[in-house]
Amino acid sequence: MTTSSLPFLDNRDCLKLKVENRIRNIFVTQSEDTRHREEKDVNHIPVVTETASRVLEAGVNTLRKTLVLKKQAELDEVDKLLALKRQEFKSCVEALAKRKSELEIKQQQTKERAMKFEKFVAENEVKRCRALKKYEAAQEQNILKQRAIEDLTEQLKQLQARQQVLKERMTKYKIYEDYLMKTLDYLPSTYLDNGSESLVMPIIRRHETLSITNRELLQRLGRLEEEVEEGQRQLQTMTQEHSIKKLMANKELSELQSELETLKEKNKQAEVNLLMEQGLSREKVEEVGRLLMAINNLAEQCYIPGYGPLENMNVLTMMGMVKEYILDKADTEKRARRLMESGSAMTSRTALTDKRERGSMKSIGSKTQIKSSSKVSRKSETMG
């Protein structure tokens, strides 16, 4: 440890201090509590008994050694505290390890308990499902048995009613039995051995045959009544369906009649519109024919050989040719005016004559052009 390396201090180097607890002056009349409280508040001052030279010689060494002792004492205290802390830490680690092992054991036990509990829950669930299935099966069996009991009870009631009917019938026919038995008593013994069976048995068989026939007839009558009821229901259903279909057919017939009236009105309006359109188209055809005739007349008057034969031209080519002819005439007129301004009087007269002729031709061409343009515009409007 660190304390072993520190220097050892001799007792002779230390200062000798003597501290005395001097008795103070105490009044006799003071109480003990006051006296003790005053003694606690008193600071005792140490008294140096060494000489001044001895104190000066040992002053520096005493100071150093005192500091070393203080440090050594502090280190010892720290070592003690460290050892205590180590011991505490070791004990805490051991306690923690112990608690950890206990906790692991408890966890393992908890896991085992949880597994056992889960197994127990699963087994209980299986048992519950099995018991529930048994309960459902038992309930179904109870329902079936209850139904069987109800059916048997109903059959028992029917048998009891039949038994009561048979008892009543036996009571009713008892007098006949007694009568027959008395009759048999009065008959001789030889009669029973010879001819009684031959006389009674055919009556009994005839009765049985008649009873069987009666039952069959009753069953047949019941079936016929059921068939009649079924036929009446079918007839009623068919009657209702027929009435419904009749109403639907009348409704459809009325709708078709209304549609027929509407179509007749539409046809009448369409016929009127058709007649009007036919009249308009006839007028348009006549106008177009007149327009084409005017164009052909202009083309014949304004024919230019460069465009080819007149029969092979279409309407647009003819109009182009007329336009070119009119422009050519206008150009010729302009040239004639220029010559008139710069020529002599004779030339002017000749030019004037030519001008008049050209003016007449120009007026004719302009009038023709105006008519053709108006007809073309009408034709375009009609086409539109």
Side-chain angles (χ1 to χ4, degrees):
M1 295 180 64
T2 56
T3 56
S4 62
S5 62
L6 295 175
F8 183 76
L9 296 176
D10 294 332
N11 294 327
R12 60 188 178 183
D13 293 334
C14 297
L15 295 176
K16 294 181 179 180
L17 299 177
K18 185 177 181 182
V19 180
E20 294 180 356
N21 295 327
R22 295 188 179 185
I23 300 171
R24 298 175 64 213
N25 295 326
I26 300 170
F27 292 102
V28 177
T29 57
Q30 289 179 345
S31 62
E32 290 293 330
D33 296 334
T34 305
R35 197 181 307 167
H36 287 297
R37 188 164 56 251
E38 288 180 357
E39 288 179 358
K40 288 180 181 178
D41 296 334
V42 172
N43 293 326
H44 298 283
I45 300 171
V47 178
V48 180
T49 59
E50 297 291 334
T51 61
S53 61
R54 181 67 179 168
V55 170
L56 290 174
E57 289 178 358
V60 176
N61 294 328
T62 303
L63 182 60
R64 291 177 181 176
K65 291 179 180 179
T66 303
L67 293 174
V68 170
L69 285 173
K70 286 182 179 180
K71 294 293 181 181
Q72 186 175 1
E74 290 177 359
L75 288 173
D76 292 337
E77 188 69 22
V78 168
D79 289 337
K80 289 179 181 179
L81 292 173
L82 182 62
L84 290 173
K85 292 292 182 182
R86 286 178 178 174
Q87 188 66 26
E88 290 178 0
F89 180 74
K90 186 176 181 182
S91 61
C92 289
V93 169
E94 290 177 355
L96 288 173
K98 186 176 180 181
R99 288 181 65 184
K100 184 178 180 181
S101 61
E102 292 176 355
L103 183 62
E104 289 177 354
I105 293 168
K106 288 182 179 181
Q107 286 180 353
Q108 187 67 27
Q109 292 177 356
T110 305
K111 288 181 180 179
E112 291 177 356
R113 289 177 182 175
M115 291 175 66
K116 289 180 180 178
F117 182 73
E118 289 177 357
K119 186 177 180 181
F120 175 72
V121 170
E123 290 177 355
N124 286 338
E125 185 67 22
V126 172
K127 291 179 180 178
R128 188 183 70 81
C129 293
R130 195 179 300 162
L132 184 62
K133 289 181 180 179
K134 288 182 179 179
Y135 172 73
E136 291 177 354
Q139 192 173 7
E140 291 178 357
Q141 291 292 330
N142 289 332
I143 292 170
L144 293 175
K145 288 181 179 179
Q146 188 68 28
R147 291 177 181 175
I149 289 169
E150 291 177 357
D151 294 337
L152 293 173
T153 305
E154 187 67 24
Q155 292 178 6
L156 180 61
K157 289 179 180 180
Q158 293 177 0
L159 292 173
Q160 286 177 355
R162 183 170 177 76
Q163 184 180 8
Q164 185 66 27
V165 171
L166 292 174
K167 283 182 179 180
E168 292 176 357
R169 189 176 293 177
M170 285 176 64
T171 305
K172 181 180 178 181
Y173 293 139
K174 187 73 167 78
I175 55 177
Y176 300 106
E177 184 181 1
D178 295 338
Y179 174 74
L180 291 173
M181 292 301 294
K182 288 179 180 180
T183 304
L184 289 174
D185 291 336
Y186 287 109
L187 290 174
S189 60
T190 58
Y191 180 78
L192 293 175
D193 295 334
N194 296 325
S196 62
E197 185 176 359
S198 62
L199 294 173
V200 175
M201 289 306 295
I203 297 171
I204 295 172
R205 292 193 186 94
R206 182 63 177 171
H207 181 269
E208 290 177 355
T209 305
L210 291 174
S211 64
I212 292 169
T213 305
N214 186 19
R215 284 198 299 270
E216 290 178 356
L217 290 172
L218 289 174
Q219 292 176 359
R220 186 178 178 184
L221 180 61
R223 287 195 299 270
L224 290 173
E225 288 178 354
E226 292 177 357
E227 290 177 359
V228 169
E229 291 177 358
E230 184 67 23
Q232 288 179 355
R233 285 196 295 270
Q234 291 180 358
L235 179 61
Q236 187 176 2
T237 306
M238 291 173 67
T239 306
Q240 292 177 357
E241 291 177 356
H242 178 69
S243 61
I244 293 169
K245 288 181 180 179
K246 187 177 180 180
L247 291 173
M248 295 296 291
N250 292 329
K251 183 180 178 182
E252 291 178 358
L253 182 60
S254 62
E255 291 177 355
L256 292 173
Q257 285 179 354
S258 61
E259 289 180 0
L260 180 61
E261 295 295 331
T262 306
L263 290 174
K264 284 181 179 179
E265 294 293 332
K266 289 182 179 179
N267 288 331
K268 289 180 180 179
Q269 188 67 29
E271 288 177 358
V272 173
N273 294 331
L274 180 62
L275 292 174
M276 293 175 65
E277 288 178 358
Q278 285 179 356
L280 293 173
S281 63
R282 192 178 296 111
E283 292 177 357
K284 291 177 183 178
V285 169
E286 291 177 358
E287 186 177 357
V288 171
R290 289 194 295 269
L291 181 62
L292 291 174
M293 289 176 65
I295 292 171
N296 290 326
N297 294 329
L298 286 173
E300 289 177 358
Q301 293 178 6
C302 303
Y303 178 70
I304 298 173
Y307 282 87
L310 188 62
E311 293 79 7
N312 297 329
M313 293 182 187
N314 54 11
V315 178
L316 295 176
T317 307
M318 290 179 181
M319 293 176 68
M321 184 179 67
V322 171
K323 183 179 179 181
E324 186 177 354
Y325 181 79
I326 292 169
L327 292 174
D328 189 12
K329 291 294 181 181
D331 191 14
T332 305
E333 185 180 357
K334 288 180 182 179
R335 289 178 184 178
R337 286 180 182 178
R338 290 173 185 172
L339 290 173
M340 272 177 61
E341 293 175 356
S342 61
S344 61
M346 187 62 71
T347 308
S348 64
R349 291 177 184 176
T350 307
L352 182 60
T353 305
D354 294 332
K355 183 178 180 182
R356 288 176 180 174
E357 292 176 358
R358 289 170 183 171
S360 62
M361 293 298 293
K362 183 180 179 182
S363 62
I364 293 168
S366 62
K367 290 179 181 178
T368 308
Q369 186 178 4
I370 289 167
K371 289 181 180 180
S372 64
S373 63
S374 64
K375 289 180 180 180
V376 170
S377 63
R378 288 178 184 175
K379 183 180 179 181
S380 62
E381 290 175 0
T382 306
M383 293 298 179

